[in-house]
Amino acid sequence: MSATGTYNKLVPEPTPHSAPYWEGLNRGKLLLQKCGGCGEIRHYPRPMCPSCHSMEVEWVEASGRGVIHSWTITHHAFHPGVRDDLPYTLATVDLEEGVRMLAQLRGVPDDKLRIGLPVRVEFETVKEGLTLPYLVPGEPA
Amino acid sequence: MSLREKGAITGVGETAYSRESGRSVLSLQLEASLKAIEDAGLKPTDIDGVIPYASGVVAEDFITNLGLPDLRFSAVTPLGGASCVAAVQCAVAAIAAGICNHVLIPVGRNGASQGRIGMRVQQMPQFRVVGEFEMPLGAIAPAQLYAPMARRHMELYGTTSRQLGEIAVSTRANAMLNGNAVMTKPMTIEDHQASRMISDPFRLFDCSLESDGSCAIVVSGVERARDLRKPPVVVMGVAEGHPDSPSVITQRPDMTRFGLAKAAPRAFEMAGVKHDDIDVAEIYDCFTFVVMCQLEDLGFCKKGEGGPFVESGAIRLGGKLPVNTHGGLLSQAHMVGMNHIAELVRQLRGEAGKAQVRDAEIGLVTGYGDMGDGSVAIMRRG
Ligand SMILES: [Zn+2]
């Protein structure tokens, strides 16, 4: 992947509710919504807290640490843009903050994948104005 | 008011299933619709309700082409693969409310020859959240989005790829008995294990087909159904259920539990039957694992015991609970599960040919869609 040239992968279309999340990634920060009413952290970004129905939101920086909840290793190019990445591992991760994230995991051999494996988030600018998170092995908590 | 025994499936119709129909989706749907109406012994002008699949063909197309003089009810049930059985619930509700008498529910697609799944889902509003937050990271197609559910099940319960393979093999054997199945070559567990990896743990033979064709049904009020051409297949219980975190699997507290787990107890209670009463089950099978998880969510076995359950031969023809006697989405054709409803109707009429389950009186059909929506109907021979 390079920050220049043609980027032919799918790109997000941020909404007013999610724009701070994407802007956070561009600054190398994983930001989560914290409810302004009850303090509950939620992900992915959305306008309303399902617990207290407040639409007040504070953005807090996540630690970036978590453990693997599940995963898949993709061998088929479902989009032309990912062909050169095959095979790649997508990990679902339980973050310390109590919500999950999904991202590509690098640096873990297939036979070492397991539920509970510690990982941490890194960031990569893939094109002008778009930074994506990815995961690498982390230290046990 | 309950929907118990208020409606019946009175007609089913299918086009030939293929990889390239060479025809428009609308013409396919009109052919299957005419066949379903004919099967019911009705005239097109008797149809006063229609629930099109959210695929571009709309109620107006049926009014215009079938010449419906006074359509009184139309709706869409956008639950992906759970849409068809959810549409049965919607149709029975409309009929029970006195809005209409005969509801046409058509599904049709050129899923193989046009717009394959990886591209298609990007246009679906139910995939909007995944589209923004997961597709840019490379999680694009249902195979990738669902695979972590299967992987988690395997890690927690010791479920194996061979057990998933048993579902593919059993379903293929059934397809070979069906005269209108796309896949007719025998499959062994070794064939399944040798099929290429798509998104681990899903191999090619864990994934359903992409197909061209159409399937349609007619739902009628249970009183009127008795006077029609074929024995009615009475809807005893029907329900839909939405999973926790319905837009994204990633955030779901228990990713091995579908919306069906909420719907199933409601449908069984409405129907007033027990699991042992079910003679045949047509279970939505976009992926082998989705069948296994639904068998658990329905209560045919405990959570985590789906692997040993299918491995025992229970879902084979002649087994304790024959499943997908037509060959399903895995081997007959991907008609969004409307072909599952059509097969259940044939089974309960005694029209299932070589795949007929002897003395089938009560059966069950499910739908599974998008990020885990579920629907289920329990039906009996009328
Ligand atoms: Zn709140």
Side-chain angles (χ1 to χ4, degrees):
Chain A
M1 284 189 243
S2 80
T4 56
T6 52
Y7 184 77
N8 66 343
K9 294 181 162 77
L10 295 168
V11 295
E13 291 174 27
T15 68
H17 308 299
S18 65
Y21 167 77
W22 292 109
E23 286 157 13
L25 291 176
N26 283 337
R27 300 196 310 273
K29 294 177 190 302
L30 178 65
L31 298 185
L32 302 173
Q33 285 181 314
K34 183 178 181 183
C35 174
C38 71
E40 193 172 286
I41 289 181
R42 64 178 186 260
H43 201 46
Y44 299 120
R46 53 187 181 271
M48 183 175 282
C49 169
S51 296
C52 76
H53 303 134
S54 168
M55 289 202 268
E56 296 298 319
V57 160
E58 185 190 336
W59 291 87
V60 295
E61 185 176 355
S63 69
R65 289 189 298 268
V67 296
I68 289 184
H69 186 84
S70 194
W71 68 89
T72 182
I73 306 160
T74 294
H75 295 259
H76 179 84
F78 285 100
H79 185 276
V82 300
R83 189 155 289 140
D84 294 338
D85 299 345
L86 298 176
Y88 58 92
T89 301
L90 291 161
T92 307
V93 170
D94 289 303
L95 292 173
E96 283 182 348
E97 289 75 16
V99 296
R100 296 199 195 118
M101 67 173 291
L102 179 140
Q104 291 193 20
L105 172 65
R106 299 180 194 158
V108 180
D110 294 355
D111 62 357
K112 298 292 183 209
L113 288 162
R114 62 172 173 86
I115 290 174
L117 187 79
V119 295
R120 64 181 165 82
V121 179
E122 294 277 345
F123 304 90
E124 177 176 52
T125 299
V126 296
K127 69 189 280 281
E128 174 89 39
L130 180 61
T131 299
L132 297 177
Y134 66 97
L135 299 156
V136 296
E139 284 70 51
Chain B
M1 187 188 80
S2 153
L3 296 182
R4 178 185 157 85
E5 309 242 332
K6 292 286 197 295
I9 315 294
T10 51
V12 300
E14 293 177 293
T15 65
Y17 296 139
S18 71
R19 289 192 177 86
E20 184 156 20
S21 71
R23 295 167 54 187
S24 75
V25 170
L26 177 57
S27 86
L28 290 165
Q29 293 198 22
L30 292 169
E31 178 190 329
S33 295
L34 277 184
K35 284 177 168 166
I37 293 163
E38 157 89 20
D39 186 54
L42 292 167
K43 300 187 299 296
T45 49
D46 293 322
I47 298 297
D48 54 6
V50 63
I51 305 178
Y53 181 65
S55 69
V57 175
V58 293
E60 286 81 352
D61 292 317
F62 295 95
I63 296 174
T64 307
N65 287 280
L66 295 178
L68 308 182
D70 188 15
L71 192 80
R72 299 169 184 202
F73 180 77
S74 68
V76 178
T77 52
L79 283 79
S83 297
C84 296
V85 176
V88 170
Q89 173 181 251
C90 184
V92 176
I95 291 164
I99 299 170
C100 52
N101 297 312
H102 302 289
V103 180
L104 174 69
I105 313 178
V107 153
R109 51 185 9 200
N110 282 328
S113 61
Q114 297 165 6
R116 294 176 75 93
I117 187 76
M119 296 301 178
R120 203 163 57 225
V121 294
Q122 292 164 30
Q123 319 299 326
M124 293 165 63
Q126 300 96 310
F127 281 66
R128 177 180 51 81
V129 177
V130 165
E132 178 174 357
F133 298 106
E134 301 193 342
M135 288 186 188
L137 299 166
I140 298 154
Q144 298 172 286
L145 300 168
Y146 301 171
M149 308 189 297
R151 172 50 62 190
R152 178 117 181 134
H153 197 276
M154 294 167 103
E155 298 296 311
L156 292 181
Y157 304 116
T159 308
T160 67
S161 173
R162 294 179 75 89
Q163 289 168 337
L164 297 179
E166 164 60 19
I167 295 169
V169 168
S170 170
T171 308
R172 176 64 59 85
N174 294 343
M176 291 168 62
L177 304 175
N178 187 297
N180 188 18
V182 173
M183 303 300 281
T184 53
K185 213 176 120 201
M187 187 200 296
T188 64
I189 292 282
E190 281 63 41
D191 294 333
H192 171 272
Q193 292 293 295
S195 68
R196 74 187 167 93
M197 196 61 89
I198 300 296
S199 199
D200 182 274
F202 293 150
R203 298 177 175 282
L204 181 65
F205 289 168
D206 291 303
C207 305
S208 52
L209 307 171
E210 303 268 23
S211 313
D212 288 12
S214 174
C215 182
I217 63 171
V218 176
V219 180
S220 307
V222 77
E223 298 299 327
R224 288 172 197 269
R226 294 203 182 97
D227 305 326
L228 298 183
R229 174 175 296 159
K230 297 274 181 73
V233 171
V234 178
V235 180
M236 305 174 76
V238 61
E240 72 178 60
H242 298 260
D244 299 336
S245 182
S247 299
V248 280
I249 292 160
T250 299
Q251 308 295 343
R252 185 165 304 152
D254 179 357
M255 59 166 65
T256 66
R257 199 179 137 89
F258 300 156
L260 181 64
K262 301 180 186 180
R266 292 201 290 270
F268 273 96
E269 192 191 346
M270 190 188 296
V273 301
K274 296 190 166 46
H275 292 77
D276 283 348
D277 298 323
I278 304 295
D279 299 314
V280 57
E282 313 301 347
I283 308 288
Y284 197 87
D285 58 335
C286 47
F287 296 91
T288 51
F289 171 74
V290 170
V291 176
M292 182 182 290
C293 192
Q294 287 178 94
L295 290 168
E296 297 172 350
D297 288 342
L298 286 161
F300 286 105
C301 58
K302 290 201 184 99
K303 183 53 67 185
E305 293 180 1
F309 182 82
V310 302
E311 205 166 40
S312 73
I315 65 169
R316 297 253 178 173
L317 269 175
K320 188 178 157 196
L321 181 73
V323 167
N324 293 347
T325 46
H326 55 324
L329 310 180
L330 289 168
S331 280
Q332 188 199 24
H334 197 320
M335 284 302 126
V336 205
M338 193 68 85
N339 49 329
H340 292 53
I341 300 176
E343 173 67 6
L344 182 60
V345 168
R346 281 193 295 263
Q347 286 285 348
L348 297 178
R349 285 173 175 174
E351 293 180 349
K354 290 178 191 163
Q356 182 66 47
V357 173
R358 200 147 56 93
D359 302 326
E361 286 182 12
I362 298 177
L364 173 151
V365 58
T366 71
Y368 166 94
D370 296 335
M371 297 305 144
D373 297 343
S375 53
V376 53
I378 297 169
M379 305 190 197
R380 69 168 171 82
R381 186 160 70 192

Short mmCIF file of all heavy atoms in Angstrom, two decimals, chain B residues 168-197:
data_model
loop_
_atom_site.label_atom_id
_atom_site.label_comp_id
_atom_site.label_asym_id
_atom_site.label_seq_id
_atom_site.Cartn_x
_atom_site.Cartn_y
_atom_site.Cartn_z
N ALA B 168 -23.08 -29.68 3.84
CA ALA B 168 -22.93 -29.51 2.38
C ALA B 168 -23.19 -30.82 1.65
O ALA B 168 -23.86 -30.86 0.62
CB ALA B 168 -21.53 -28.99 2.06
N VAL B 169 -22.66 -31.92 2.21
CA VAL B 169 -22.78 -33.24 1.56
C VAL B 169 -24.22 -33.73 1.58
O VAL B 169 -24.76 -34.22 0.58
CB VAL B 169 -21.84 -34.25 2.27
CG1 VAL B 169 -22.12 -35.67 1.83
CG2 VAL B 169 -20.37 -33.88 1.97
N SER B 170 -24.87 -33.60 2.72
CA SER B 170 -26.26 -34.02 2.85
C SER B 170 -27.16 -33.23 1.91
O SER B 170 -28.04 -33.78 1.24
CB SER B 170 -26.70 -33.82 4.31
OG SER B 170 -28.09 -34.00 4.43
N THR B 171 -26.91 -31.93 1.83
CA THR B 171 -27.72 -31.06 0.99
C THR B 171 -27.52 -31.40 -0.49
O THR B 171 -28.47 -31.42 -1.27
CB THR B 171 -27.37 -29.58 1.25
OG1 THR B 171 -27.45 -29.34 2.66
CG2 THR B 171 -28.33 -28.65 0.55
N ARG B 172 -26.27 -31.71 -0.87
CA ARG B 172 -26.00 -32.09 -2.26
C ARG B 172 -26.71 -33.39 -2.62
O ARG B 172 -27.29 -33.52 -3.71
CB ARG B 172 -24.50 -32.22 -2.49
CG ARG B 172 -24.11 -32.71 -3.89
CD ARG B 172 -24.52 -31.72 -4.98
NE ARG B 172 -23.91 -30.41 -4.78
CZ ARG B 172 -22.69 -30.09 -5.19
NH1 ARG B 172 -21.95 -30.95 -5.86
NH2 ARG B 172 -22.21 -28.87 -4.97
N ALA B 173 -26.70 -34.33 -1.69
CA ALA B 173 -27.37 -35.61 -1.97
C ALA B 173 -28.86 -35.37 -2.24
O ALA B 173 -29.45 -36.01 -3.12
CB ALA B 173 -27.18 -36.55 -0.78
N ASN B 174 -29.45 -34.44 -1.51
CA ASN B 174 -30.86 -34.12 -1.74
C ASN B 174 -31.07 -33.43 -3.08
O ASN B 174 -32.06 -33.70 -3.78
CB ASN B 174 -31.39 -33.24 -0.60
CG ASN B 174 -31.41 -33.97 0.73
OD1 ASN B 174 -31.33 -35.20 0.78
ND2 ASN B 174 -31.50 -33.22 1.83
N ALA B 175 -30.16 -32.54 -3.44
CA ALA B 175 -30.28 -31.83 -4.72
C ALA B 175 -30.30 -32.81 -5.89
O ALA B 175 -30.97 -32.57 -6.90
CB ALA B 175 -29.13 -30.83 -4.88
N MET B 176 -29.56 -33.90 -5.72
CA MET B 176 -29.49 -34.89 -6.81
C MET B 176 -30.83 -35.61 -7.03
O MET B 176 -31.03 -36.25 -8.06
CB MET B 176 -28.37 -35.89 -6.52
CG MET B 176 -26.99 -35.23 -6.62
SD MET B 176 -25.69 -36.25 -5.96
CE MET B 176 -25.82 -37.65 -7.07
N LEU B 177 -31.73 -35.49 -6.06
CA LEU B 177 -33.05 -36.09 -6.21
C LEU B 177 -34.06 -35.11 -6.80
O LEU B 177 -35.20 -35.46 -7.09
CB LEU B 177 -33.57 -36.56 -4.84
CG LEU B 177 -32.67 -37.53 -4.07
CD1 LEU B 177 -33.25 -37.81 -2.69
CD2 LEU B 177 -32.50 -38.82 -4.86
N ASN B 178 -33.61 -33.84 -6.95
CA ASN B 178 -34.51 -32.79 -7.40
C ASN B 178 -34.27 -32.54 -8.89
O ASN B 178 -33.13 -32.42 -9.33
CB ASN B 178 -34.22 -31.51 -6.58
CG ASN B 178 -35.20 -30.41 -6.86
OD1 ASN B 178 -35.30 -29.90 -7.97
ND2 ASN B 178 -35.96 -30.03 -5.84
N GLY B 179 -35.31 -32.48 -9.65
CA GLY B 179 -35.15 -32.30 -11.10
C GLY B 179 -34.76 -30.89 -11.50
O GLY B 179 -34.43 -30.64 -12.66
N ASN B 180 -34.80 -29.95 -10.57
CA ASN B 180 -34.54 -28.54 -10.90
C ASN B 180 -33.44 -27.98 -10.00
O ASN B 180 -33.61 -26.95 -9.36
CB ASN B 180 -35.83 -27.73 -10.77
CG ASN B 180 -35.69 -26.30 -11.29
OD1 ASN B 180 -34.77 -25.98 -12.04
ND2 ASN B 180 -36.61 -25.44 -10.88
N ALA B 181 -32.32 -28.69 -9.93
CA ALA B 181 -31.20 -28.22 -9.11
C ALA B 181 -30.02 -27.89 -10.01
O ALA B 181 -29.77 -28.58 -11.01
CB ALA B 181 -30.79 -29.29 -8.10
N VAL B 182 -29.29 -26.83 -9.65
CA VAL B 182 -28.14 -26.42 -10.46
C VAL B 182 -26.97 -27.40 -10.25
O VAL B 182 -26.26 -27.73 -11.19
CB VAL B 182 -27.72 -24.98 -10.08
CG1 VAL B 182 -26.42 -24.60 -10.77
CG2 VAL B 182 -28.83 -23.99 -10.45
N MET B 183 -26.77 -27.86 -9.02
CA MET B 183 -25.64 -28.74 -8.71
C MET B 183 -26.12 -30.19 -8.58
O MET B 183 -26.94 -30.49 -7.72
CB MET B 183 -24.97 -28.31 -7.41
CG MET B 183 -24.48 -26.87 -7.41
SD MET B 183 -23.25 -26.48 -8.68
CE MET B 183 -21.80 -27.16 -7.89
N THR B 184 -25.59 -31.04 -9.43
CA THR B 184 -26.09 -32.41 -9.44
C THR B 184 -24.99 -33.46 -9.33
O THR B 184 -25.25 -34.65 -9.41
CB THR B 184 -26.88 -32.68 -10.75
OG1 THR B 184 -26.04 -32.33 -11.86
CG2 THR B 184 -28.14 -31.84 -10.80
N LYS B 185 -23.75 -33.01 -9.16
CA LYS B 185 -22.63 -33.94 -9.04
C LYS B 185 -22.53 -34.41 -7.59
O LYS B 185 -22.64 -33.59 -6.67
CB LYS B 185 -21.34 -33.21 -9.44
CG LYS B 185 -20.30 -34.08 -10.11
CD LYS B 185 -19.10 -33.23 -10.54
CE LYS B 185 -17.87 -33.77 -9.83
NZ LYS B 185 -16.75 -32.83 -9.75
N PRO B 186 -22.28 -35.69 -7.36
CA PRO B 186 -22.16 -36.14 -5.97
C PRO B 186 -21.02 -35.42 -5.25
O PRO B 186 -20.03 -35.04 -5.87
CB PRO B 186 -21.83 -37.64 -6.10
CG PRO B 186 -22.17 -38.02 -7.49
CD PRO B 186 -22.08 -36.78 -8.32
N MET B 187 -21.15 -35.25 -3.92
CA MET B 187 -20.11 -34.62 -3.11
C MET B 187 -19.83 -35.48 -1.89
O MET B 187 -20.76 -35.99 -1.27
CB MET B 187 -20.55 -33.22 -2.65
CG MET B 187 -19.44 -32.42 -1.95
SD MET B 187 -20.08 -31.06 -0.91
CE MET B 187 -20.82 -29.99 -2.13
N THR B 188 -18.55 -35.65 -1.61
CA THR B 188 -18.15 -36.36 -0.39
C THR B 188 -17.54 -35.36 0.60
O THR B 188 -17.23 -34.23 0.23
CB THR B 188 -17.08 -37.43 -0.69
OG1 THR B 188 -15.90 -36.75 -1.16
CG2 THR B 188 -17.55 -38.42 -1.75
N ILE B 189 -17.36 -35.82 1.83
CA ILE B 189 -16.69 -34.96 2.83
C ILE B 189 -15.29 -34.59 2.32
O ILE B 189 -14.83 -33.47 2.50
CB ILE B 189 -16.58 -35.70 4.19
CG1 ILE B 189 -17.97 -35.86 4.81
CG2 ILE B 189 -15.64 -34.96 5.14
CD1 ILE B 189 -18.53 -34.61 5.46
N GLU B 190 -14.63 -35.55 1.65
CA GLU B 190 -13.27 -35.26 1.13
C GLU B 190 -13.33 -34.17 0.07
O GLU B 190 -12.45 -33.32 0.01
CB GLU B 190 -12.63 -36.54 0.58
CG GLU B 190 -12.07 -37.46 1.66
CD GLU B 190 -13.13 -37.99 2.62
OE1 GLU B 190 -14.25 -38.35 2.15
OE2 GLU B 190 -12.88 -38.04 3.84
N ASP B 191 -14.38 -34.20 -0.78
CA ASP B 191 -14.55 -33.12 -1.77
C ASP B 191 -14.70 -31.79 -1.06
O ASP B 191 -14.13 -30.77 -1.47
CB ASP B 191 -15.81 -33.35 -2.63
CG ASP B 191 -15.70 -34.58 -3.51
OD1 ASP B 191 -14.58 -34.95 -3.88
OD2 ASP B 191 -16.76 -35.16 -3.84
N HIS B 192 -15.48 -31.79 0.01
CA HIS B 192 -15.68 -30.56 0.77
C HIS B 192 -14.36 -30.07 1.36
O HIS B 192 -14.01 -28.89 1.24
CB HIS B 192 -16.70 -30.79 1.90
CG HIS B 192 -16.81 -29.65 2.86
ND1 HIS B 192 -16.02 -29.54 3.98
CD2 HIS B 192 -17.60 -28.55 2.85
CE1 HIS B 192 -16.33 -28.43 4.62
NE2 HIS B 192 -17.28 -27.81 3.97
N GLN B 193 -13.60 -30.99 1.94
CA GLN B 193 -12.34 -30.61 2.57
C GLN B 193 -11.31 -30.15 1.54
O GLN B 193 -10.41 -29.38 1.88
CB GLN B 193 -11.78 -31.81 3.36
CG GLN B 193 -12.63 -32.16 4.59
CD GLN B 193 -12.59 -31.09 5.66
OE1 GLN B 193 -11.57 -30.81 6.25
NE2 GLN B 193 -13.75 -30.47 5.89
N ALA B 194 -11.46 -30.63 0.30
CA ALA B 194 -10.50 -30.24 -0.75
C ALA B 194 -10.92 -28.96 -1.46
O ALA B 194 -10.15 -28.41 -2.25
CB ALA B 194 -10.38 -31.38 -1.76
N SER B 195 -12.14 -28.48 -1.22
CA SER B 195 -12.58 -27.27 -1.91
C SER B 195 -11.80 -26.06 -1.37
O SER B 195 -11.42 -26.03 -0.20
CB SER B 195 -14.09 -27.08 -1.78
OG SER B 195 -14.50 -26.79 -0.46
N ARG B 196 -11.58 -25.08 -2.23
CA ARG B 196 -10.65 -24.01 -1.87
C ARG B 196 -11.20 -23.14 -0.75
O ARG B 196 -12.41 -22.97 -0.61
CB ARG B 196 -10.29 -23.17 -3.10
CG ARG B 196 -11.36 -22.25 -3.59
CD ARG B 196 -10.94 -21.59 -4.92
NE ARG B 196 -12.08 -20.95 -5.54
CZ ARG B 196 -12.38 -19.66 -5.35
NH1 ARG B 196 -11.64 -18.90 -4.59
NH2 ARG B 196 -13.45 -19.14 -5.93
N MET B 197 -10.29 -22.59 0.03
CA MET B 197 -10.67 -21.74 1.15
C MET B 197 -11.12 -20.38 0.61
O MET B 197 -10.44 -19.77 -0.21
CB MET B 197 -9.47 -21.58 2.10
CG MET B 197 -9.84 -21.06 3.46
SD MET B 197 -10.99 -22.13 4.38
CE MET B 197 -9.83 -23.21 5.24
#
